[in-house]
Amino acid sequence: MLWLWGLTVHINFKLLVSGVLLSLSQQAFAQVNIFACEPEYAALAEELAPEARIYSATTAMQDPHLVQARPSLIAKMRQADLVICAGAELEIGWLPMLQMKAANAQVRSTDKGLFFAAEHVDTLDKMANVDRSMGDVHSLGNPHLHFSPERMLLIAKALTKKLVQLDIEQTEAYQQRLQSFSKRWQAASSKWHEMASQLKGMKVIAYHSSFRYLFDFVGIEQVADLEPKPGLPPTSTHLASLLKRAKQDDISAIVVASYQDLRGANWLAEKSSLPVIVLPLSVGGNEQSNDLFSLYDNVLDLLIQEYNAQKLLTL
Amino acid sequence: MKNMKFSPTRLSAKVSAALAMSALIPVLAQAQTPTLSNPTVSAILDGYYQSENRLMAERTEGFGLGETELAFSASIDDMFYGKLTTVFETHDGESEVNIEEAFIQTMALPNGFTVRAGRFLSDIGYLNNQHLHSDSFTSRPSAYRAFLGGHYFDDGLRVSYIAPTDLYWTMGAEVFSGDSLRAADEHGERKFDRTGVYTAFTKFGGDIGVESSWQLGFSYLRNENGLLTPEEHDEHGEGDHEDEHAEDEHGHSHSASYTGKNTYVADFVFKWAPNGNYKYQHLTLSAEYFRVSDFMVPELHDEHEEEDHHDEDEHAEGNSKDYHQAWYVSGVYQFSPNWSAGLRYGELDSQLQHEEHFDAQELKETELSIAWHNSHFSTVRLEFSHQSNVGFDNDLSDNAITLQYVMALGAHGAHQF
């Protein structure tokens, strides 16, 4: 009980002495502390606020749907000034628990230090009626936004606004960073669109809808999914039906993300003699993908290499 | 059964002060737009078939329903979060509706403080604050069944704090009415403290590389009503005693079977997944140790000590200790998104009051469970359990098989570590 009394004294002290001052001072002098749910948003933060302390809760080798609300993440969120997540319910299985346990009011509301990328762009595949029998689908649309160059630029702009809101004194620096990023991104985007034109019409079987936006922007058609339903692992009956589909001979490759299990893909590849392409899900998904730019470069390179090899074979 | 009687006036003045503080803070906090409340409704369906009765267990022989719950939760406004969990239980043909959780929690106190009030699960130990449906075994370890009545929820108040450090460090204190942890009082004459339970806990945790995470916790529970009730020897026949105890063992009750003034708990959890990716394979190791002491009333204690000396030459049976203890270790491995298996071993070492002396009891349990998960929301589990005991009055078989399903409907909330 003595201990409890100590607590109340502590709150009292903070209230009386600091009150409003406290919340101001915390933001003005400290380095901005950023917690990113996924590595692509840590990478974006790195571009827009390189002097911030940035932590990514997940790696490109991890399924962002299934993350443990583990102690280290709670501790990091406790200290965060800004939390950047994909949103659209991607993190529904762990983010609310982290927020609850971290007791950090600053990052509970998007009015303050919480930023959901999906709120600033149009998502694909929104659904009016979502039912669990459909698997792990999100009514707010596909949350794996980061392979859409146009959307990432919009997100960068919105994120800069958020950074300015939280750290108003550095407004100019943030604006400059955004300007520089936009310039480089737009230049890279036109290069990527050019690369993408080589891939137009490519048909693939992929695992989950992880690359929905990539395929959308590049013009690749995902004709089938290794998952029988979103979130459910491949079953043998489903794989058998995919093999049947593969025999139509119009498919160029099986695409799997860096965190996904290869067993189903390898089985199908062996039976159908289709190549398997493992694409980095995000920054850090392979050696070449060190930032957003090299991630896009690498993903497009991998696809083009395989597609060209396939075309040579059929000639 | 519990009744809802959380009343601040019953709490000590110091805690009331803390409560008053929490009411003041919103006034001082910066004004902000209230977030739209987004009520989450979820239901858990749990049914089973068990081949035998088990000691102190909630599940009984035959077909039955486990904890079938309906929960509502939402942010009430920018300051408060609320949750209501009702549990439907059936025992011997009788249905009960109980409130397991009905609490409000602050969401916007500064500096890492959180206050929770109402009825909620105590944060002592590792498993206690987890909901039963997230367990990997069909029943709680004997430590929980013996000392906490399965899982300890109660009416009270919690203040917790989380430190702004990279090493996870949280600590907290709770006060509860403590009704379910009262010592047995068969004549109903004992005057119990209405605010009976105080707890303090701390937890540490972190990661080891990308693949491993751990958490270590220490808790203390002080139970003002934990001391045994002195027995009136002439009024109290042998038969009565056995009946009463038998009910403790087999009957349905959320009350603790063994109580004491001081309970100490240490818990450790370690989780591992290849690349830290929990989608396909992961391992969870956990262990907890409970020690419950100071349950003998002074006169009994003296007699007990005398008896110990006296018994030394005769036989070992009277060699009981002045504390209860229990521990378990458990390992659960998910092989694939669809399959997981767990192995748990636990021991309970308790002292049973028997007229003027205490008899040592020992219960050893081994459980092997295999679960099939069609998705994150549906589990079918088969469990084999083996128990051997000394000193328990029962004719229970040594082996039991339980077949259970646990399924979640609706928006199902995030799980704890």
Side-chain angles (χ1 to χ4, degrees), chain A residues 53 63 68 72 78 101 132, chain B residues 162 166 207 279 410 416:
Chain A
R53 189 177 164 215
D63 186 340
Q68 292 277 319
S72 62
R78 160 72 172 92
K101 295 243 168 187
R132 275 277 177 69
Chain B
I162 168 169
D166 279 350
D207 287 344
K279 167 125 181 145
Q416 301 186 57

Side-chain angles (χ1 to χ4, degrees), chain A residues 204-209 222-230 238 242:
Chain A
V204 299
I205 292 176
Y207 195 136
H208 194 65
S209 50
Q222 179 174 344
V223 294
D225 198 320
L226 281 165
E227 293 183 327
K229 276 179 182 160
H238 183 65
L242 292 183

Side-chain angles (χ1 to χ4, degrees), chain A residues 104-122:
Chain A
N104 181 356
Q106 166 69 19
V107 297
R108 285 198 55 81
S109 154
T110 48
D111 296 340
K112 289 184 167 182
L114 179 61
F115 181 88
F116 284 127
E119 288 184 0
H120 302 277
V121 293
D122 257 343

Side-chain angles (χ1 to χ4, degrees), chain B residues 71-278:
Chain B
F72 302 86
S73 63
S75 295
I76 294 162
D77 52 27
D78 58 325
M79 185 68 195
F80 295 104
Y81 167 87
K83 184 172 185 191
L84 171 67
T85 307
T86 52
V87 178
F88 304 89
E89 289 167 295
T90 319
H91 293 278
D92 303 323
E94 277 180 48
S95 295
E96 291 172 0
V97 180
N98 294 320
I99 292 174
E100 189 172 286
E101 289 176 303
F103 67 81
I104 55 149
Q105 177 173 326
T106 61
M107 300 307 277
L109 289 188
N111 304 315
F113 285 95
T114 303
V115 175
R116 183 180 280 201
R119 179 174 298 177
F120 55 90
L121 292 158
S122 168
D123 221 350
I124 60 164
Y126 168 60
L127 277 180
N128 197 65
N129 69 5
Q130 311 246 357
H131 287 106
L132 294 176
H133 65 255
S134 61
D135 286 8
S136 299
F137 298 90
T138 61
S139 66
R140 285 270 148 116
S142 55
Y144 279 83
R145 279 145 46 208
F147 304 143
L148 298 175
H151 56 312
Y152 178 46
F153 55 91
D154 205 346
D155 301 345
L157 181 78
R158 173 197 300 161
V159 179
S160 58
Y161 168 74
I162 168 169
T165 49
D166 279 350
L167 174 79
Y168 172 67
W169 183 24
T170 184
M171 63 197 93
E174 301 163 324
V175 269
F176 289 115
S177 71
D179 290 5
S180 66
L181 297 188
R182 286 179 178 178
D185 174 34
E186 62 187 292
H187 302 299
E189 287 165 356
R190 180 162 164 187
K191 197 168 174 347
F192 284 111
D193 233 319
R194 300 295 296 272
T195 303
V197 167
Y198 301 84
T199 75
F201 59 86
T202 185
K203 293 173 209 262
F204 305 89
D207 287 344
I208 307 164
V210 242
E211 301 198 325
S212 310
S213 307
W214 60 277
Q215 183 177 283
L216 173 68
F218 299 100
S219 334
Y220 166 69
L221 183 150
R222 180 170 181 91
N223 186 351
E224 297 294 352
N225 303 319
L227 218 60
L228 287 173
T229 312
E231 301 203 14
E232 294 141 62
H233 307 140
D234 39 328
E235 275 179 37
H236 180 69
E238 178 89 1
D240 286 351
H241 184 88
E242 305 241 312
D243 282 351
E244 183 227 5
H245 188 70
E247 192 172 79
D248 268 2
E249 278 178 17
H250 313 299
H252 168 62
S253 156
H254 287 290
S255 300
S257 306
Y258 302 90
T259 58
K261 195 157 190 161
N262 297 306
T263 302
Y264 306 89
V265 189
D267 60 88
F268 183 73
V269 199
F270 174 86
K271 293 193 184 187
W272 173 87
N275 289 319
N277 182 14
Y278 281 78

Side-chain angles (χ1 to χ4, degrees), chain A residues 121-161:
Chain A
V121 293
D122 257 343
T123 56
L124 295 174
D125 307 331
K126 281 197 181 75
M127 271 180 245
N129 282 309
V130 173
D131 184 303
R132 275 277 177 69
S133 65
M134 297 154 80
D136 238 350
V137 288
H138 309 278
S139 60
L140 297 172
N142 187 312
H144 311 290
L145 300 159
H146 58 288
F147 278 112
S148 164
E150 289 74 24
R151 288 183 179 83
M152 279 307 266
L153 193 57
L154 289 173
I155 292 166
K157 284 177 181 160
L159 185 56
T160 300
K161 256 190 213 159

Side-chain angles (χ1 to χ4, degrees), chain A:
Chain A
M1 286 321 292
L2 200 67
W3 189 85
L4 242 182
W5 180 235
L7 276 186
T8 54
V9 170
H10 187 69
I11 303 173
N12 229 332
F13 172 79
K14 289 288 184 197
L15 278 172
L16 290 175
V17 177
S18 25
V20 180
L21 266 180
L22 187 80
S23 57
L24 288 177
S25 65
Q26 271 179 343
Q27 284 169 15
F29 305 117
Q31 181 189 30
V32 177
N33 203 325
I34 298 177
F35 178 107
C37 286
E38 292 86 19
E40 55 267 23
Y41 297 110
L44 185 60
E46 202 74 58
E47 299 283 350
L48 301 174
E51 56 292 301
R53 189 177 164 215
I54 301 164
Y55 176 78
S56 176
T58 56
T59 74
M61 308 309 283
Q62 299 169 355
D63 186 340
H65 302 83
L66 297 171
V67 175
Q68 292 277 319
R70 54 187 202 272
S72 62
L73 298 189
I74 302 168
K76 294 286 185 188
M77 188 168 282
R78 160 72 172 92
Q79 303 168 71
D81 302 303
L82 172 61
V83 168
I84 309 171
C85 298
E89 296 184 346
L90 175 62
E91 301 92 357
I92 192 96
W94 50 285
L95 183 61
M97 184 56 69
L98 291 180
Q99 289 176 313
M100 176 81 93
K101 295 243 168 187
N104 181 356
Q106 166 69 19
V107 297
R108 285 198 55 81
S109 154
T110 48
D111 296 340
K112 289 184 167 182
L114 179 61
F115 181 88
F116 284 127
E119 288 184 0
H120 302 277
V121 293
D122 257 343
T123 56
L124 295 174
D125 307 331
K126 281 197 181 75
M127 271 180 245
N129 282 309
V130 173
D131 184 303
R132 275 277 177 69
S133 65
M134 297 154 80
D136 238 350
V137 288
H138 309 278
S139 60
L140 297 172
N142 187 312
H144 311 290
L145 300 159
H146 58 288
F147 278 112
S148 164
E150 289 74 24
R151 288 183 179 83
M152 279 307 266
L153 193 57
L154 289 173
I155 292 166
K157 284 177 181 160
L159 185 56
T160 300
K161 256 190 213 159
K162 181 55 78 180
L163 285 163
V164 166
Q165 179 201 332
L166 297 178
D167 190 12
I168 197 141
E169 292 185 8
Q170 304 293 319
T171 306
E172 211 169 311
Y174 290 127
Q175 297 294 3
Q176 277 170 5
R177 290 258 149 64
L178 175 65
Q179 216 167 20
S180 147
F181 173 78
S182 302
K183 224 184 203 167
R184 287 177 293 132
W185 192 256
Q186 274 160 340
S189 291
S190 46
K191 178 184 77 183
W192 294 329
H193 276 287
E194 210 168 289
M195 289 167 90
S197 63
Q198 301 174 52
L199 292 166
K200 213 163 198 78
M202 184 181 185
K203 287 182 181 175
V204 299
I205 292 176
Y207 195 136
H208 194 65
S209 50
S210 306
F211 296 109
R212 177 72 175 92
Y213 292 89
L214 175 71
F215 296 161
D216 179 61
F217 126 69
V218 173
I220 291 177
E221 189 187 343
Q222 179 174 344
V223 294
D225 198 320
L226 281 165
E227 293 183 327
K229 276 179 182 160
L232 300 185
T235 58
S236 45
T237 43
H238 183 65
L239 285 172
S241 77
L242 292 183
L243 182 58
K244 225 172 166 184
R245 176 65 188 83
K247 293 222 164 109
Q248 289 180 26
D249 240 18
D250 58 340
I251 295 167
S252 305
I254 302 164
V255 175
V256 174
S258 46
Y259 76 87
Q260 287 158 346
D261 186 35
L262 278 169
R263 273 176 302 178
N266 283 341
W267 181 90
L268 186 61
E270 203 179 294
K271 299 280 179 195
S272 63
S273 59
L274 284 176
V276 175
I277 310 177
V278 180
L279 296 182
L281 172 73
S282 183
V283 176
N286 61 16
E287 270 179 36
Q288 293 79 30
S289 308
N290 304 309
D291 56 21
L292 287 170
F293 293 91
S294 54
L295 174 70
Y296 273 65
D297 287 343
N298 180 248
V299 160
L300 291 170
D301 275 344
L302 288 170
L303 286 168
I304 289 168
Q305 264 172 34
E306 208 51 67
Y307 194 44
N308 286 345
Q310 283 293 105
K311 278 199 270 193
L312 275 178
L313 271 177
T314 50
L315 279 176

